[in-house]
Amino acid sequence: MKRTLSIISVISLLCFLAGCSANIQNVPPGYVGKLLTPSGWETGIREAGQVDIGQEDNSGRGNQLVLLEATAVQVKESFTADENGEDHRVLTRNRNPVAVDFYVQVMVPTEAKLRDSIFSQVTPTAKGSRGRVSVIKLDSVYYQFASPIIRGKTREIFAKYPSYDSVMENYSKVTDEISAMVAETFRESNVPLRLVAAQLSNVKADKTIWTAENNKAAADAQVAVIEKIGEAIRKNPGYLQKYKWDQLEKIAGKGTTIIVSDDGSKPAFTLPVNGR
């Protein structure tokens, strides 16, 4: 009887110790995980579920769980002027600045080798105060491997176009060029991500360019009106007299006294102002 109780006690103690040594962590949906042990990376990748990473030893060593984002992520590339005075806008061939935004959609690759390369090359961000669980976001992978090259090549694309107007006239072509450039960068630079799409979303000229364009449009409209009046006078000389009287009435309406001469040399009569 005593021997049986001793065995039960030993088993209970072992179970208790085993329970104390467990440290269960989650690999949530939309992520995959990999254990980093004191001797290196564990072989294989953990799918969504739970992982026992164990306890740390007396020297503070223990396993770490690194999570990798495994859903489609959209990254924004923005070329704008910010409030701190930094101007990142692209330039067209006439040296005018243009603000540009486009999006790059990426996913974690399915190949185990490429996934392993992300774990081995990208520093994760600690999750929580203990630091035994950390996370790698796909946008950080993109910014580390692809963004510097893509931003430089984007500037080259816009520098080929003479002006903002020419960019807008070839909007679809510019979008195709950016998409092709991003795909080529991923391929040539061995970016460990799967490219889904790249899409130009916004192109905006500098405010001074907008003002100049608006002023030009207003001037063109004014010239068009003058040309129409001139054409009417040429076709019908009597229109000139009507136009003159119309303008005099407008001036009189502003409270100005007008003396009208019938032959341009002596007063003929005074145009009444405000009924006086």
Side-chain angles (χ1 to χ4, degrees):
M1 182 69 177
K2 290 183 178 179
R3 183 179 179 184
T4 302
L5 290 175
S6 298
I7 294 174
I8 293 174
S9 298
V10 171
I11 293 174
S12 299
L13 179 61
L14 290 174
C15 291
F16 173 77
L17 292 175
C20 289
S21 65
N23 186 337
I24 306 300
Q25 299 292 337
N26 291 323
V27 179
Y31 287 84
V32 294
K34 196 173 181 68
L35 278 182
L36 178 60
T37 71
S39 59
W41 288 104
E42 175 192 56
T43 302
I45 292 177
R46 306 293 186 101
E47 299 295 334
Q50 293 186 325
V51 180
D52 179 9
I53 65 174
Q55 297 294 327
E56 294 177 325
D57 61 19
N58 293 332
S59 61
R61 297 191 311 167
N63 297 330
Q64 294 184 20
L65 175 63
V66 180
L67 302 173
L68 172 62
E69 202 169 20
T71 57
V73 172
Q74 193 165 256
V75 183
K76 182 180 180 180
E77 285 287 9
S78 186
F79 299 79
T80 58
D82 59 30
E83 297 177 352
N84 298 322
E86 295 187 8
D87 194 341
H88 302 285
R89 292 175 295 181
V90 301
L91 299 177
T92 51
R93 201 162 62 209
N94 61 4
R95 308 300 295 173
N96 284 334
V98 178
V100 175
D101 293 326
F102 66 87
Y103 291 91
V104 179
Q105 190 175 26
V106 297
M107 291 186 68
V108 68
T110 55
E111 299 89 338
K113 183 178 180 181
L114 289 177
R115 290 188 177 190
D116 285 340
S117 72
I118 295 176
F119 284 106
S120 62
Q121 295 182 76
V122 180
T123 302
T125 301
K127 180 181 178 182
S129 58
R130 293 286 295 171
R132 296 192 66 194
V133 179
S134 52
V135 180
I136 297 175
K137 294 285 191 177
L138 290 189
D139 58 357
S140 62
V141 180
Y142 170 84
Y143 288 128
Q144 178 173 329
F145 289 93
S147 184
I149 301 172
I150 286 174
R151 292 183 70 84
K153 290 185 176 182
T154 299
R155 296 185 182 280
E156 293 176 5
I157 289 174
F158 282 89
K160 296 186 301 183
Y161 289 87
S163 64
Y164 167 76
D165 287 339
S166 65
V167 171
M168 297 309 296
E169 291 169 0
N170 296 277
Y171 192 90
S172 296
K173 180 181 177 183
V174 175
T175 296
D176 292 342
E177 287 184 280
I178 289 176
S179 298
M181 176 271 293
V182 173
E184 180 183 15
T185 300
F186 271 56
R187 184 172 58 255
E188 292 183 348
S189 302
N190 295 318
V191 177
L193 292 172
R194 181 158 66 93
L195 177 63
V196 179
Q199 176 65 46
L200 184 64
S201 65
N202 181 49
V203 179
K204 185 181 295 183
D206 184 74
K207 290 182 179 179
T208 57
I209 306 300
W210 279 114
T211 301
E213 290 293 332
N214 290 336
N215 290 341
K216 180 178 180 298
D220 290 344
Q222 188 173 6
V223 169
V225 171
I226 293 173
E227 288 179 347
K228 287 183 178 179
I229 293 173
E231 182 65 21
I233 292 173
R234 285 191 295 271
K235 291 182 177 180
N236 184 7
Y239 178 78
L240 179 60
Q241 290 297 321
K242 179 182 183 305
Y243 181 74
K244 180 177 72 174
W245 286 107
D246 288 343
Q247 298 306 309
L248 288 174
E249 286 181 357
K250 289 181 181 179
I251 297 172
K254 296 180 180 179
T256 304
T257 300
I258 303 172
I259 299 175
V260 181
S261 173
D262 59 354
D263 62 0
S265 60
K266 59 181 180 179
F269 61 91
T270 301
L271 188 70
V273 178
N274 296 331
R276 293 177 296 182

